[in-house]
Amino acid sequence: MKANSKIRFSLDILVNKNTFKLKRTNNFIKLFALLIIPLILSYSARAQVKYYVSNQGNDNNAGTSTAPFATIQRCVDKWNGIQQITCSCEGIFNEEIIIRKSGPSSTNRNKIIAWDKNNNGIHSDETFILDGQNTRNVAIKALASLKPDNVEIGFAKFKNYFPDGGCGAGGNMHFIELPCSGLNGCNDWWIHDCTFEDLGIGCPAKESYIAIKPQNASGLIVEKNIFRNIGGYIMRYVDGFGIKFINNYVEIETAGIKAWGANLDSLRITDNIFMGDGNGAWNDSTGSCIVSVAVNLSNNAQNAIIFNNSFYDCVTSIDIGSSEDFGSRDNRGHLIEGNRIYRTEKTCNAYNSPIVISDVSLPSTITPYHNIEVSDIIIRNNVIHYYGNPISFNQGAAIDITSAHTHAFTSNITIHNNTIRGFRFGVRFEERLSKNGIPLPFQTNNVDIKNNIFSKIRNGFYVLNSNGNWANMAEPANVTSDNNTFSGGNIFSWNGGKTLTTWQATNRDQNSYSCEPQFANTSSLHLLDSDLCARNRGISLLGFDSDIDGEVRGNQGLWDIGADEYYINSNVRQSNLFNYVLSECTLYPNPTNSFFNVQFSQFNNEPTVYRITNMLGAEMLMGKVTSSNFSVDIEHISSGIYNFTIQSSKGIISKRIEKI
């Protein structure tokens, strides 16, 4: 018995040890399953997968670099919403691509991008073209029912898309369409380093012709793209939070950006060049004139920033408005700062203004029938310059304000430290009638105009309508003005013509000056060191402390009047668009029978354009400067002598080029 007991005891110990080991092993497995496996799965989910696409490939291939797919859609259909998948593409494709799946995150977007075939780390030297061949009306489209997020599209050229059904049918036509209205939307798309051109060639422009249509596309970034020959809008139906349009070059044929979505908040439009054709007409040969707008916040937008852009010959550069038909909330809280707006007689509408506030509406037709208003607009540190024929082609104001409602309201429009030169009027207040022709009883309320240069203004610094009188006597209320400089026609058309002296006698202005500022040149409008009109004569203002160049205000203890605070060594605010500076340039060969090269000795970051005009001033060619050494093709131009002009905020260079 004892022996058996010992044996049984020994077996019990052995069994208990093994049981303990087994339990410990099971616990370890459970711990492994709980902690390690999810990490492995997470790593697997984040693993990047790359497929290759070539128009020389085959969709039955594996999608490798040596056996690529033939269509982009074949690659996009591989997206699973878990892994980050890149479609590296080369060649010319005639497709309409439907995107159904999201990328894993905004930092791990699924990509449609140029294939770096030469492995030099540069995508811009590759060929990746989406060519609609005038048979397709959409290039890339998010599936509306699924609303995919986290997509990157880069280094592609989009061209030759045509309206569905033809011009007469007036169907939709978009390069990239995000029909994501409603809940959630299509979030965190990034469209960069692409070229968009030739949209709807030969068709009259329509509102449904749009290069990029981002409906409820929060987090969208449109960056470093080129837009030219667009028979419609650059972007329209813009809606969502935190959308950014930055460092783009835009040639406006008909219309620019129109943003009016119900959820539009914190839009950023910065560091872009907007080149207007002057008339907003798709077919310039017709001689028509359309009031096109480069940036139009037409309804509902809040807290937008329009910053450090250059506008050339846009019929209207910036328009902020309201309408009861599409309004659901106030259009308010916008900052317009550090922009350079240049106009010549090329702008067809002589009465239109570069900056327009058109705040006129009845209560909204959309529940809860809110009283729609435009309010809390800051316009500061901008250069607004007309430098063409001053009499025949410029009858308008630099800034036009129309605010009129059936209810009492407060505009809160701030106009501080701008340099305005060459216009007929400085700031014009427009009266507006209701739809049945009756003057609305409440007009603009609370406008603050301080530290601005009004240089060479011909017919009125501040104007009520165009004749200085108000039909229903409900003239703008609470307009304050101080520490501005005025030169030109010494007129304030405010209930009759007034001089600066009689204007100041109304107690609206105590410390403004009648004098002509001295500028280093008439392009940048930087103040000279010797200027005694605007330098050190401004008043310190709350809410900002730098000028158009990013330099600190209050140099030498006092603020300068105008956009530019004088510094001996000006540290000009940099734009990341082009590596370039205006310096002496060389054109060669000159004369030439086909093309010539342009070479500069220095370069930094500065938005810059070039123009070729004949000796009568007619424009033959226009484009952007992309580097300090580039070529211009003039083979299609007739023989003769031409002016070649380079222009940026730093100045203008003019050269002669001979075509033989």
Side-chain angles (χ1 to χ4, degrees), residues 476-494:
N478 303 314
V479 175
T480 57
S481 167
D482 215 355
N483 287 88
N484 303 288
T485 68
F486 300 105
S487 78
N490 188 7
I491 300 172
F492 295 81
S493 294
W494 200 280

Side-chain angles (χ1 to χ4, degrees), residues 95-258:
E95 293 190 51
E96 180 175 319
I97 301 158
I98 306 298
I99 295 178
R100 299 175 174 85
K101 295 289 187 180
S102 301
S105 70
S106 59
T107 55
N108 292 278
R109 297 179 177 95
N110 286 342
K111 300 180 183 181
I112 301 173
I113 198 166
W115 178 354
D116 183 14
K117 292 209 73 174
N118 55 17
N119 293 314
N120 65 354
I122 300 172
H123 292 86
S124 58
D125 60 353
E126 308 294 348
T127 298
F128 173 29
I129 300 174
L130 280 159
D131 188 347
Q133 299 177 12
N134 291 328
T135 62
R136 297 188 181 275
N137 69 320
V138 176
I140 297 176
K141 181 177 181 178
L143 193 63
S145 59
L146 297 177
K147 301 179 183 178
D149 302 329
N150 309 324
V151 175
E152 177 181 345
I153 301 168
F155 300 98
K157 184 174 184 177
F158 296 78
K159 68 177 186 177
N160 299 329
Y161 281 76
F162 202 70
D164 191 18
C167 292
N172 291 335
M173 177 175 57
H174 316 119
F175 284 131
I176 299 177
E177 182 180 357
L178 306 181
C180 308
S181 57
L183 295 175
N184 300 322
C186 297
N187 299 316
D188 295 306
W189 283 51
W190 183 24
I191 302 167
H192 63 92
D193 296 286
C194 296
T195 298
F196 300 88
E197 64 182 22
D198 299 341
L199 184 72
I201 294 295
C203 290
K206 296 183 182 297
E207 292 186 347
S208 56
Y209 300 169
I210 308 165
I212 300 176
K213 183 180 178 181
Q215 292 176 281
N216 200 4
S218 292
L220 168 68
I221 303 172
V222 180
E223 181 178 17
K224 293 192 289 187
N225 303 284
I226 296 171
F227 297 86
R228 59 162 63 99
N229 224 21
I230 305 299
Y233 289 83
I234 304 303
M235 293 204 309
R236 193 170 189 267
Y237 299 100
V238 182
D239 192 15
F241 180 85
I243 294 173
K244 297 177 182 176
F245 189 87
I246 54 178
N247 283 334
N248 300 284
Y249 172 81
V250 182
E251 293 180 6
I252 297 176
E253 296 282 350
T254 52
I257 298 170
K258 187 167 186 176

Side-chain angles (χ1 to χ4, degrees), residues 538-551:
I539 185 173
S540 176
L541 298 170
L542 296 176
F544 70 109
D545 58 4
S546 62
D547 71 351
I548 191 171
D549 299 327
E551 294 167 332

Side-chain angles (χ1 to χ4, degrees), residues 354-374:
I355 296 180
V356 176
I357 296 174
S358 50
D359 176 26
V360 182
S361 68
L362 298 173
S364 173
T365 58
I366 302 171
T367 31
Y369 311 114
H370 176 62
N371 288 325
I372 304 300
E373 300 169 5
V374 173

Side-chain angles (χ1 to χ4, degrees), residues 294-604:
V295 177
N296 184 197
L297 307 182
S298 60
N299 264 303
N300 306 319
Q302 296 190 354
N303 307 309
I305 293 177
I306 304 171
F307 175 77
N308 202 31
N309 303 283
S310 295
F311 299 87
Y312 295 90
D313 279 328
C314 299
V315 181
T316 295
S317 297
I318 301 167
D319 189 334
I320 301 175
S322 62
S323 165
E324 65 269 19
D325 296 330
F326 301 102
S328 59
R329 63 177 187 168
D330 289 346
N331 192 349
R332 64 175 177 80
H334 307 310
L335 175 63
I336 301 170
E337 180 172 18
N339 301 285
R340 293 173 169 88
I341 301 175
Y342 301 103
R343 297 182 71 180
T344 67
E345 63 270 19
K346 184 178 179 180
T347 305
C348 64
N349 190 316
Y351 295 91
N352 232 60
S353 298
I355 296 180
V356 176
I357 296 174
S358 50
D359 176 26
V360 182
S361 68
L362 298 173
S364 173
T365 58
I366 302 171
T367 31
Y369 311 114
H370 176 62
N371 288 325
I372 304 300
E373 300 169 5
V374 173
S375 65
D376 304 308
I377 311 299
I378 297 173
I379 304 170
R380 71 187 183 205
N381 284 345
N382 303 282
V383 169
I384 311 172
H385 188 194
Y386 183 90
Y387 56 92
N389 186 318
I391 305 299
S392 302
F393 298 97
N394 177 22
Q395 301 298 316
I399 300 174
D400 194 290
I401 301 173
T402 304
S403 294
H405 296 285
T406 57
H407 62 275
F409 67 98
T410 302
S411 302
N412 281 342
I413 298 172
T414 299
I415 303 173
H416 287 170
N417 278 99
N418 301 281
T419 298
I420 298 170
R421 180 177 169 91
F423 288 84
R424 182 181 181 186
F425 305 118
V427 180
R428 179 173 56 197
F429 296 85
E430 292 277 3
E431 185 176 40
R432 191 62 61 88
L433 308 179
S434 65
K435 291 181 179 179
N436 57 7
I438 299 174
L440 292 167
F442 298 97
Q443 303 291 333
T444 307
N445 186 332
N446 196 19
V447 178
D448 192 48
I449 308 173
K450 291 176 180 172
N451 280 8
N452 300 281
I453 290 175
F454 294 92
S455 171
K456 297 189 181 301
I457 304 299
R458 301 197 314 276
N459 293 106
F461 303 118
Y462 307 152
V463 178
L464 298 181
N465 286 336
S466 59
N467 59 7
N469 295 297
W470 219 249
N472 67 347
M473 300 309 293
E475 67 180 60
N478 303 314
V479 175
T480 57
S481 167
D482 215 355
N483 287 88
N484 303 288
T485 68
F486 300 105
S487 78
N490 188 7
I491 300 172
F492 295 81
S493 294
W494 200 280
N495 294 336
K498 292 178 170 57
T499 65
L500 177 58
T501 300
T502 55
W503 166 255
Q504 289 179 328
T506 65
N507 294 320
R508 296 178 186 270
D509 191 325
Q510 296 303 309
N511 299 292
S512 290
Y513 312 98
S514 178
C515 55
E516 177 58 53
Q518 301 300 304
F519 299 109
N521 60 66
T522 56
S523 176
S524 66
L525 299 184
H526 291 294
L527 292 168
L528 277 174
D529 177 43
S530 57
D531 173 68
L532 300 176
C533 176
R535 285 202 57 210
N536 297 327
R537 302 189 78 176
I539 185 173
S540 176
L541 298 170
L542 296 176
F544 70 109
D545 58 4
S546 62
D547 71 351
I548 191 171
D549 299 327
E551 294 167 332
V552 175
R553 288 279 182 190
N555 183 30
Q556 298 180 334
L558 293 171
W559 280 35
D560 292 343
I561 297 174
D564 171 52
E565 180 83 5
Y566 176 81
Y567 272 80
I568 296 176
N569 297 311
S570 180
N571 178 27
V572 177
R573 173 184 286 129
Q574 301 300 310
S575 164
N576 295 321
L577 189 54
F578 304 125
N579 289 325
Y580 179 78
V581 73
L582 276 177
S583 60
E584 190 62 27
C585 68
T586 302
L587 310 183
Y588 66 93
N590 187 10
T592 179
N593 61 4
S594 57
F595 72 92
F596 63 93
N597 298 304
V598 184
Q599 185 170 358
F600 295 87
S601 59
Q602 304 176 49
F603 60 94
N604 70 1

